[in-house]
Amino acid sequence: MISTLPQDLVEEILSRAPVKSLRRLRSTCKRWYHQALFKDPRFIKKHFDKTRQYHALMLNHKACSLSSILHGANFDAETILGVDGLSLVDPHDNELVDVTKAFHCHGMLLCTHPKSNSLVVWNPFSGKTRWVQPQKHYNSAYAMGYDKNELCRNYKILMLPCYYDHGKLGSWKKLDATLEGDLRFEIYEFGSDSWRSVDVITTQAYLQPGGVSLKGDTYWVLSNHKGFDYSLLSFDFSKERLQRLCVPTSHDEPFNSDTMALSVVREEHLLLLYQSNETLMVNIWITEEIETTFVSWCMFLKVDLKPHVHFIWNPTSFFIIDMEKKVVLCCHGSRDISDQFCMLRMVPGGGMSRWYLPTRPWHVPTLFGYVPEELA
């Protein structure tokens, strides 16, 4: 009987179990749950150290864990579509919440549900939710982070006033905020359960909606109003301020002709993917160091997709499957078919595999790697 084993041995065994298995143990093994083992930061860190990074696919209304199939010999379209997923129902209208555009932060998903004009923070592997009513109803982008200066993380939601400028830069959003105007940055704090305005000024620019969270802060790819001179835009949730940072490559064409995307690896580094529309060369950089006003990059992987005549269309997301072997999995939309997306696996030397899979019209699934924030 496992209940007769020493506590340290029990922890060692459980630290090697998948998150979904731990979730099932909450009801069958209440001793561990009520003793808060699954909530203990020390155990969570140990669990992550054993299992490394998890990987998930946000497909239609489901959050699907891919960790169990990524390294299998039969990784193909049928296997991907056959993965079990978790879904979330809005209690206000009993409809499924779309998670394909969710913002990810520490294993939690910040989802928008336009039909009930609400936001929800959902931990799919613990089942916990927090519903939030936004103050404004105009088109906005949202991000999530936390104050690093506080002992217990005070999570926050940032609302950025922006809108799609149809005909310019495709899927990019135009930032529109001033101190004097009605459109202002706003922050929701979990601790106070309230919204407040923040004095953040931005120049006219275009924002790629798919930002990423790293160590409590959020990062986006940013372009000026003409579609050139791109950079990173970061938001520090501790100091509540924006900062522009450098990117590792020059750019001579408007953004809507090339592809760029951000990702995070093991909650330690940023990754930047760039593919030229002309050469079809894919470059992926990884950060060596990130400071408040400075970031240094190094090349992680170059893959020439010209022999395969393959272009990675926006919107796109990606993560690293294997750091040592430099294997990357990418998910992107299709140029002409609205109800289809492509899953692309790239390796050094130009090798690639690709699968075209069905999806709901105009809903491109999202990939990300994550570390569970809590297992309860």
Side-chain angles (χ1 to χ4, degrees), residues 29 41 61 78 110 137 174 183 242 252 275 279 299 305 325 374:
C29 303
H61 298 107
E78 184 177 352
L110 172 61
H137 305 306
K174 184 178 180 181
L183 304 183
L242 291 169
D252 299 322
Q275 185 186 32
T279 67
M299 179 63 69
L305 295 185
K325 296 181 180 179
E374 65 173 79

Side-chain angles (χ1 to χ4, degrees), residues 65-282:
S65 175
L66 298 180
S67 299
S68 62
I69 67 170
L70 284 178
H71 303 284
N74 298 320
F75 185 80
D76 53 23
E78 184 177 352
T79 305
I80 297 169
L81 293 177
V83 173
D84 292 332
L86 302 169
S87 57
L88 176 64
V89 176
D90 186 340
H92 304 96
D93 55 21
N94 291 320
E95 292 195 12
L96 290 171
V97 175
D98 182 13
V99 298
T100 54
K101 297 180 180 180
F103 183 90
H104 164 248
C105 177
H106 279 236
M108 295 180 285
L109 302 176
L110 172 61
C111 311
T112 57
H113 194 52
K115 289 190 176 181
S116 62
N117 187 37
S118 58
L119 305 172
V120 58
V121 179
W122 177 40
N123 186 329
F125 298 99
S126 72
K128 288 188 175 182
T129 59
R130 185 183 186 114
W131 292 88
V132 178
Q133 195 69 27
Q135 285 188 315
K136 309 286 184 176
H137 305 306
Y138 49 78
N139 191 16
S140 304
Y142 295 92
M144 183 173 161
Y146 57 85
D147 190 335
K148 298 184 290 294
N149 296 326
E150 298 189 10
L151 183 61
C152 296
R153 287 176 181 167
N154 179 24
Y155 282 95
K156 303 177 183 180
I157 296 173
L158 173 68
M159 187 213 69
L160 301 85
C162 54
Y163 58 90
Y164 286 110
D165 190 1
H166 296 290
K168 292 186 178 181
L169 300 182
S171 61
W172 294 67
K173 282 190 171 185
K174 184 178 180 181
L175 280 175
D176 190 2
T178 63
L179 290 179
E180 296 78 17
D182 293 331
L183 304 183
R184 304 180 65 179
F185 284 68
E186 295 186 0
I187 281 183
Y188 170 86
E189 289 197 46
F190 282 38
S192 63
D193 189 24
S194 62
W195 289 91
R196 56 180 169 82
S197 297
V198 289
D199 294 337
V200 176
I201 302 176
T202 62
T203 57
Q204 189 180 53
Y206 286 89
L207 184 80
Q208 192 177 57
V212 297
S213 175
L214 176 65
K215 297 180 181 178
D217 297 334
T218 295
Y219 299 85
W220 302 269
V221 177
L222 190 75
S223 168
N224 67 10
H225 66 285
K226 294 182 179 179
F228 300 91
D229 187 27
Y230 64 98
S231 58
L232 284 189
L233 182 67
S234 70
F235 185 80
D236 186 324
F237 277 88
S238 301
K239 299 177 181 178
E240 296 185 355
R241 71 182 186 188
L242 291 169
Q243 177 67 49
R244 286 202 182 199
L245 300 167
C246 67
V247 289
T249 183
S250 59
H251 191 69
D252 299 322
E253 296 294 332
F255 258 86
N256 56 350
S257 64
D258 293 345
T259 296
M260 296 188 73
L262 288 173
S263 185
V264 173
V265 58
R266 295 178 181 171
E267 294 293 330
E268 297 172 358
H269 305 279
L270 283 176
L271 295 164
L272 175 67
L273 179 149
Y274 171 77
Q275 185 186 32
S276 166
N277 183 42
E278 292 186 0
T279 67
L280 299 187
M281 177 68 73
V282 175

Side-chain angles (χ1 to χ4, degrees), residues 16 20 26 96 145 159 182 236 242 268 295 346 353 357:
R16 300 173 183 270
K20 282 186 78 172
R26 288 188 305 168
L96 290 171
M159 187 213 69
D182 293 331
D236 186 324
L242 291 169
E268 297 172 358
V295 57
M346 297 178 287
S353 303
L357 307 168

